[in-house]
């Protein structure tokens, strides 16, 4: 019968060990080694697939967490924009009220100045020289110009409050 033989000397004793094994039983060991290798390769493949599944699962979870975080951040930004918009609307209403109050308070003294300067011109025209009449005419013109400026400022404040309309020109 064919055999596989191996010899190994034993140091210090002067003799050695011989091992003999029939070839057909060695082939069985080789077949078991092949099965073991295949089994280990299968386990390795299972571990690799499990690792890849875990990595992909983590990526999906992270993506969902980022989406949720983005959604919360967007909602917070929208809330802040809404809050700021309402604050701006309140400030605009207060500014409009202030504009009307200021314009009324400014118009009253202007009317008095214009009225009294007109009365002086009408009642005392004969007692005023040309320079005096010129000064009073300038005072009246300046009060009327200031009244027009107040009207223009009020019109501008109304324009900024109005909604924009787009038109083809």
């Amino acid at each position: 019968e064919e055999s596989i033989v191996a010899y190994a000397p034993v140091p210090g004793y002067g003799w050695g060990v011989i091992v003999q094994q029939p070839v057909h039983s060695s082939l069985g060991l080789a077949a078991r080694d092949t099965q073991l290798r295949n089994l280990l390769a299968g386990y390795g493949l299972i571990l690799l697939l499990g690792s890849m599944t875990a990595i992909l699962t983590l990526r999906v979870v992270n993506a969902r967490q980022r989406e949720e975080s983005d959604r919360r951040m967007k909602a917070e930004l929208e809330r802040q924009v809404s809050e700021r918009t309402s604050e701006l609307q309140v400030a605009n209403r207060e500014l409009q009220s202030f504009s009307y109050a200021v314009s009324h308070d400014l118009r009253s003294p202007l009317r008095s100045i214009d009225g009294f300067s007109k009365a002086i011109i009408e009642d005392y025209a004969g007692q005023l020289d040309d320079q005096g009449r010129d000064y009073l005419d300038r005072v009246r013109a300046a009060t009327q110009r200031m009244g027009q400026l107040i009207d223009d400022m009020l019109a501008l404040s109304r324009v900024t409050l109005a909604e924009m309309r787009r038109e083809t020109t």
Side-chain angles (χ1 to χ4, degrees):
E1 176 176 15
E2 286 186 46
S3 297
I4 297 175
V5 178
Y7 170 77
V10 177
Y13 290 98
W15 51 276
V17 176
I18 297 175
V19 177
Q20 177 181 1
Q21 172 137 6
V23 172
H24 74 279
S25 66
S26 296
L27 293 176
L29 289 175
R32 275 188 261 137
D33 284 348
T34 303
Q35 287 174 347
L36 185 60
R37 269 190 239 114
N38 289 342
L39 186 62
L40 289 175
Y43 285 149
L45 184 60
I46 289 170
L47 284 173
L48 178 66
L49 290 174
S51 298
M52 289 175 62
T53 302
I55 290 170
L56 290 175
T57 302
L58 283 174
R59 285 187 176 179
V60 168
V61 167
N62 286 341
R64 286 183 181 164
Q65 286 174 343
R66 276 193 307 273
E67 287 172 5
E68 178 64 21
S69 174
D70 290 348
R71 187 192 60 74
R72 281 193 307 265
M73 205 178 319
K74 181 181 175 188
E76 175 63 19
L77 286 174
E78 286 175 358
R79 185 195 62 75
Q80 287 178 354
V81 166
S82 175
E83 187 177 293
R84 297 299 189 274
T85 301
S86 64
E87 289 172 1
L88 185 59
Q89 288 171 343
V90 167
N92 279 338
R93 283 193 297 272
E94 289 173 357
L95 182 60
Q96 188 178 15
S97 288
F98 177 74
S99 302
Y100 285 123
V102 166
S103 69
H104 182 271
D105 291 346
L106 290 176
R107 284 179 193 281
S108 181
L110 278 178
R111 278 192 220 109
S112 296
I113 293 169
D114 188 45
F116 284 121
S117 59
K118 183 178 178 184
I120 291 173
I121 290 173
E122 290 173 355
D123 295 344
Y124 298 98
Q127 298 174 3
L128 294 173
D129 61 359
D130 289 339
Q131 190 176 13
R133 277 191 295 278
D134 182 51
Y135 287 160
L136 287 173
D137 286 339
R138 286 184 186 189
V139 168
R140 291 198 67 227
T143 58
Q144 290 167 2
R145 198 168 48 246
M146 189 167 182
Q148 185 60 47
L149 285 173
I150 291 170
D151 290 341
D152 293 345
M153 285 174 48
L154 283 174
L156 178 63
S157 73
R158 285 187 205 110
V159 166
T160 59
L161 293 176
E163 191 170 324
M164 265 193 190
R165 285 188 343 224
R166 294 180 184 212
E167 295 179 359
T168 304
T169 55

